[in-house]
Amino acid sequence: MNRRNILWSTVSALGAALAASRARAAAEPAKSDKLKVVYHLSDADKVNFVLGNIQNHIDGVGGPDHVTIALVIHGPALKAFHAAQANPDISRRVGEFSKGGVELAACGNTMKAQNVTLKELLPGFVSAEKGGVVRLAELQSQGYLYLRP
């Protein structure tokens, strides 16, 4: 009889531990399998190349629903995104990225240096008020993979 009590106690303890483990797992948010990637762009001569990389990335994973992408722009590259001087291809691509959920962040320090406001950039941009490099570090700390083509 003593053996039966020991066995029953062991089975009960294992069952309770399993139930507690399942309850913890149910309370935790589901981990997303979606990759998070941040592209870093500062070179004016790489604007089209980086925009092409982002489009290839989106196409390669099966569409914007399968990846979370951010683009952080600072330095000379930001001039290509001034609405008054952006070429039609860049305007079109930025519009598509914005509709597809790509975060388009413009460095606040570069905006000040270029004397440009958020309203003067192509639609869809947000300001990285603390600076582009700070935004890059924030995104990396949130699990974004860093790419600088």
Side-chain angles (χ1 to χ4, degrees), residues 51-83:
L51 296 179
N53 276 208
I54 293 171
Q55 187 60 59
N56 290 342
H57 196 145
I58 291 169
D59 294 344
V61 297
D65 294 336
H66 302 283
V67 66
T68 300
I69 295 180
L71 171 61
V72 178
I73 303 167
H74 68 100
L78 189 61
K79 287 193 183 231
F81 300 93
H82 291 200

Side-chain angles (χ1 to χ4, degrees), residues 70-74 78 102-107 121 124-128 132 135 139:
L71 171 61
V72 178
I73 303 167
H74 68 100
L78 189 61
V102 174
E103 175 187 317
L104 304 164
C107 173
L121 294 176
F125 272 89
V126 297
S127 176
R135 185 64 184 142
L139 291 169

Side-chain angles (χ1 to χ4, degrees), residues 22-79:
R22 285 185 179 171
R24 265 194 314 273
E28 294 175 5
K31 184 178 177 182
S32 173
D33 290 335
K34 239 169 52 165
L35 277 179
K36 299 185 297 184
V37 181
V38 58
Y39 283 83
H40 179 185
L41 174 61
S42 62
D43 300 324
D45 61 334
K46 290 188 176 181
V47 169
N48 286 314
F49 180 70
V50 171
L51 296 179
N53 276 208
I54 293 171
Q55 187 60 59
N56 290 342
H57 196 145
I58 291 169
D59 294 344
V61 297
D65 294 336
H66 302 283
V67 66
T68 300
I69 295 180
L71 171 61
V72 178
I73 303 167
H74 68 100
L78 189 61
K79 287 193 183 231

Side-chain angles (χ1 to χ4, degrees), residues 80-100:
F81 300 93
H82 291 200
Q85 61 192 50
N87 76 42
D89 183 54
I90 290 176
S91 297
R92 178 188 57 76
R93 289 167 125 177
V94 166
E96 289 173 3
F97 291 158
S98 180
K99 287 177 188 169

